[in-house]
Amino acid sequence: MNKAELVASMAEKSGLTKKDAEAALNAFMKSVEEALVREDKVQLVGFGTFDVRERKARQGRNPRNPEQVIEIPASKAPVFKAGKALKDMVNA
């Protein structure tokens, strides 16, 4: 499902116009992005949690030259962990 299909589905289920549904989806995504930039956790009970995880610096190998060891810097990565209710629905 791409963004346009999601907007259409949201509009159908909520009774909103596609334009209003897209505005709501964009506002949701922007709010989650801003929270993650502040390193806040976004918890939607029953659905899941958006969070930021720290990745430590580490050494890796250059795939084109396996003898060459490269330093991979520390970084932050956004992650989503599905909630129990969502997992149960997917596995039903």
Side-chain angles (χ1 to χ4, degrees):
M1 177 180 281
N2 61 28
K3 184 176 178 182
E5 293 168 340
L6 179 58
V7 166
S9 176
M10 288 174 56
E12 182 183 321
K13 288 178 181 13
S14 67
L16 296 172
T17 65
K18 285 186 181 181
K19 187 175 182 179
D20 290 342
E22 183 173 15
L25 178 59
N26 288 339
F28 170 76
M29 292 188 318
K30 188 70 174 168
S31 296
V32 170
E33 288 170 3
E34 290 170 355
L36 294 178
V37 166
R38 292 189 311 265
E39 296 189 32
D40 288 344
K41 186 183 289 190
V42 179
Q43 292 180 304
L44 302 171
V45 176
F47 183 72
T49 303
F50 296 91
D51 200 3
V52 176
R53 292 217 181 116
E54 301 278 339
R55 290 191 177 160
K56 296 179 184 176
R58 61 188 173 89
Q59 290 187 338
R61 297 262 177 204
N62 181 346
R64 291 189 177 167
N65 181 2
E67 292 82 37
Q68 182 183 11
V69 175
I70 57 175
E71 292 295 321
I72 301 171
S75 64
K76 297 175 187 173
V79 294
F80 175 77
K81 183 179 180 205
K84 184 177 183 334
L86 179 59
K87 287 181 189 176
D88 290 345
M89 284 194 313
V90 169
N91 289 315

